[in-house]
Amino acid sequence: MQMTEENSVLMTYFRNNVLHLMALPSLIACCFLNNRTMRTEDIQRLMWRIYPYVRDELFLRWTEEEISAVTLETLDDLANHGLLESVEAGAQWRRPPTGSAEAVQLSNLAQVTVQIVERYYLVIAVLLKHGSGRISQDALESQCQLMAQRMSLLYELNSPEFFDKALFKNFIDLLRSRNVLGVNAEGRLTYTDMLPAVADDAQLVLHEQIRNSVLQVTHR
């Protein structure tokens, strides 16, 4: 379905109310935006790392303990629809040939959640740029909102939630509650070696152009 740019913005509220229905298949589809083939263990690791944050944002129903099995079920469902192909008895998965109708469908499916992943990666990139113990949460939220607005202009992303400051705050709060981030005596955010590992995994998902754009706006 297609609509005018003006109407698509007006439909944001209604889209967000059904987004959770497609979230998990879409997150898996994101793994294949930048990769023809992915190992099952890499998909599982990516889902394990990102799912808790997407679950919190979209109110998804599965617990973290359930997500491994649900991921396998969803991979099978995508294969049954011809959007993925099982390789080596399910040890790997391959997307359809570029240009095929199935490849286009898989790419369209990924667009449902790829901006969420981009927003998360933006937060991590800004944190890594400043370094551990160098920026407060309020300053980080403001910088991320400003840089998301720049990216929206750069890519003509007419999607207000992409630069919604409240969503940045919720993500950072969750990182703190999961002890990925801490706060030092000066009230600035600290992080462990886990954060660069999360950033490395994001590079598997996000297109190089998007990664470069995030780095471009964070280093201005």
Side-chain angles (χ1 to χ4, degrees):
M1 298 193 322
Q2 292 183 333
M3 59 184 66
T4 65
E5 182 177 340
E6 180 181 0
N7 285 339
S8 68
V9 175
L10 294 174
M11 287 292 290
T12 297
Y13 172 81
F14 299 98
R15 182 192 68 190
N16 288 350
N17 274 275
V18 298
L19 200 59
H20 62 282
L21 297 174
M22 306 299 294
L24 203 60
S26 177
L27 286 172
I28 292 175
C30 286
C31 295
F32 295 89
L33 285 173
N34 209 32
N35 306 280
R36 176 74 198 279
T37 304
M38 287 282 289
R39 297 186 303 171
T40 302
E41 60 185 277
D42 290 332
I43 297 172
Q44 290 280 31
R45 187 185 72 253
L46 288 165
M47 296 299 293
W48 176 77
R49 280 192 166 155
I50 198 170
Y51 177 74
Y53 308 103
V54 179
R55 179 193 181 200
D56 185 76
E57 182 170 331
L58 299 181
F59 305 99
L60 303 181
R61 65 185 179 90
W62 300 287
T63 65
E64 291 180 49
E65 291 73 23
E66 294 174 312
I67 196 58
S68 177
V70 175
T71 296
L72 293 177
E73 291 175 7
T74 306
L75 284 166
D76 285 336
D77 287 340
L78 290 169
N80 289 336
H81 285 84
L83 302 186
L84 287 178
E85 178 187 357
S86 175
V87 181
E88 297 180 4
Q92 297 187 61
W93 298 85
R94 180 187 299 138
R95 73 183 180 198
T98 301
S100 66
E102 292 80 7
V104 172
Q105 290 174 16
L106 190 69
S107 178
N108 286 339
L109 182 61
Q111 302 311 312
V112 173
T113 56
V114 71
Q115 285 189 10
I116 296 176
V117 181
E118 290 169 4
R119 187 170 0 99
Y120 294 169
Y121 182 56
L122 179 59
V123 173
I124 294 169
V126 175
L127 268 170
L128 293 176
K129 174 202 169 187
H130 283 279
S132 183
R134 303 291 298 274
I135 187 173
S136 69
Q137 179 166 341
D138 286 344
L140 177 61
E141 292 169 11
S142 297
Q143 286 193 26
C144 288
Q145 182 185 35
L146 177 61
M147 292 171 187
Q149 289 172 334
R150 289 177 182 171
M151 288 185 65
S152 294
L153 291 173
L154 185 64
Y155 286 101
E156 298 181 350
L157 302 175
N158 202 348
S159 181
E161 71 271 18
F162 183 68
F163 48 83
D164 186 341
K165 189 175 181 180
L167 294 179
F168 287 115
K169 181 182 186 305
N170 291 343
F171 178 52
I172 297 166
D173 285 342
L174 194 54
L175 287 171
R176 290 180 59 181
S177 71
R178 297 177 66 84
N179 297 317
V180 178
L181 299 181
V183 179
N184 62 18
E186 289 77 33
R188 294 171 180 168
L189 295 170
T190 60
Y191 56 81
T192 66
D193 292 340
M194 184 185 297
L195 199 68
V198 174
D200 289 341
D201 274 346
Q203 294 186 36
L204 289 173
V205 176
L206 298 179
H207 192 278
E208 182 180 4
Q209 185 179 25
I210 294 295
R211 299 199 311 269
N212 290 339
S213 297
V214 170
L215 295 176
Q216 180 183 349
V217 297
T218 55
H219 286 81
R220 284 184 177 179

